[in-house]
Amino acid sequence: PLSATETGGALPLDWGVTIPLALLTPAAEALPTVVACPARTLSRTQLMDLGESLVEAGDALGRRVALIISADQGHGHAADGPYGFTPASAEYDASMRAAIEADDLRRLLDWPTDYAETALADSYWQTLALIGAGKRVPLHAQFLAYEVDHYFGLLCAGFAVGQM
């Protein structure tokens, strides 16, 4: 991987960044945008602290903040996919969906530390940041859609601020 120094201060953006940014309204394009890809080596507490810090920064600046969590679910849904097949991907995806449908992301904190890695998932670490943001503002989940695109799971949910 290239360092920020080698790319003149900028790092290349992946699909997890470019797709959500493409869906923002043209007015949002003029707003300051911060992109963070939390490392899997960070602790659960550190990842939740990231989400809390985003809310605190918005409060300190008197600004509204949109937090977009973009990451695929399990990548082991097909034997002919690039990562092969593992039933753990379907199990993980079902567990994530159930947590969202129950509006209870905090249950992810009880998952075994290797659960997401065994399932070949990307979403766990970013979702911990969302849990952290939810510690500062009440977030309520609304499941929208789930499907498997050949070898990886895709889940879409919205999180509204406020009481339900």
Side-chain angles (χ1 to χ4, degrees):
L2 297 174
S3 72
T5 304
E6 294 168 318
T7 60
L11 294 174
L13 301 178
D14 67 8
W15 293 108
V17 175
T18 58
I19 291 172
L21 288 178
L23 298 174
L24 294 175
T25 65
E29 292 175 13
L31 297 173
T33 302
V34 176
V35 176
C37 185
R40 295 175 181 214
T41 57
L42 296 174
S43 71
R44 291 177 186 192
T45 300
Q46 290 171 310
L47 292 164
M48 289 187 299
D49 287 349
L50 170 63
E52 283 189 85
S53 296
L54 292 171
V55 174
E56 290 170 1
D59 288 347
L61 294 170
R63 308 262 327 241
R64 291 176 41 184
V65 174
L67 175 58
I68 300 170
I69 304 297
S70 175
D72 300 329
Q73 303 304 312
H75 282 71
H77 288 277
D80 64 343
Y83 305 100
F85 175 78
T86 176
S89 286
E91 294 167 16
Y92 174 91
D93 290 10
S95 295
M96 182 67 80
R97 180 176 178 166
I100 291 169
E101 288 178 332
D103 195 13
D104 184 18
L105 286 182
R106 293 193 62 82
R107 68 173 67 169
L108 276 67
L109 300 176
D110 296 327
W111 290 1
T113 55
D114 64 344
Y115 189 41
E117 290 175 357
T118 301
L120 305 173
D122 288 335
S123 60
Y124 183 74
W125 299 270
Q126 293 87 335
T127 306
L128 290 173
L130 183 60
I131 293 170
K135 291 170 70 175
R136 294 288 179 195
V137 294
L139 296 175
H140 298 286
Q142 178 185 13
F143 171 80
L144 299 172
Y146 172 79
E147 70 175 78
V148 173
D149 183 6
H150 184 61
Y151 69 90
F152 61 96
L154 299 164
L155 189 149
C156 184
F159 291 83
V161 175
Q163 298 183 14
M164 298 215 19

